Amino acid sequence: MNAVTNIYEGRCHCGAIGYVLHTEKPPAKWTLRSCQCSFCRSHGSKNMADPSGSVVFRIAEPSKLIRYRFASRSLEFLVCSGCGGYIGAVHASPRGQWATLNTNVLPAMAELPQSIPFVADDAPLAEKQAGREQRWTPVTAGLGG
Ligand SMILES: [Zn+2]
């Protein structure tokens, strides 16, 4: 059986920032994580990542893109200054960019699984960053270098 690559387009409420996810995994097979950090709880985020997929960010209005950092400042949380929407977080390194994507900004899908509350571990930062490069979705375009 040949795998089919599906395309899912998410965008913030006003449409200024968004992403195009390419994945062979059907939504029913996604693992959705509700990170319990203070930022994600405030957005009720339900994030997915597919290391075999890829994502392109589509920033229609670059002036509205906020690349918010906090705590270890090792991630950029992509937030819209127009509507407050949160579309995903990006880890960047000399090897590339990887993202975890907030599925709340996708069109409603009946087949999305329940999200799993997830508490970020307190592993050393370098270990967490290496894990992101294995588990998160490679970013192929959209945010610059
Ligand atoms: Zn917006």
Side-chain angles (χ1 to χ4, degrees), residues 14-29:
C14 74
I17 64 174
Y19 62 77
V20 182
L21 165 69
H22 296 244
T23 178
E24 292 179 359
K25 273 193 186 177
K29 295 265 174 69

Side-chain angles (χ1 to χ4, degrees), residues 30-50:
W30 295 358
T31 300
L32 300 190
R33 286 178 153 193
S34 288
C35 174
Q36 297 301 298
C37 83
S38 53
F39 178 88
C40 291
R41 277 191 289 112
S42 75
H43 287 270
S45 55
K46 294 197 283 282
N47 280 33
M48 73 82 72
D50 178 5

Side-chain angles (χ1 to χ4, degrees), residues 87-115:
I87 63 168
V90 175
H91 159 76
S93 84
R95 292 168 293 282
Q97 295 177 333
W98 288 264
T100 168
L101 302 168
N102 186 5
T103 62
N104 285 341
V105 302
L106 290 168
M109 284 187 280
E111 66 269 42
L112 278 181
Q114 288 287 315
S115 63

Side-chain angles (χ1 to χ4, degrees), residues 12-17 80 82-85:
C12 68
H13 195 264
C14 74
I17 64 174
C80 175
C83 68

Side-chain angles (χ1 to χ4, degrees), residues 25 33 48-53 98-100 118 121 127-138:
K25 273 193 186 177
R33 286 178 153 193
M48 73 82 72
D50 178 5
S52 308
W98 288 264
T100 168
F118 165 72
D121 59 32
E127 226 169 87
K128 286 199 270 193
Q129 289 175 320
R132 289 165 190 156
E133 296 182 14
Q134 287 164 10
R135 293 189 302 271
W136 285 17
T137 311

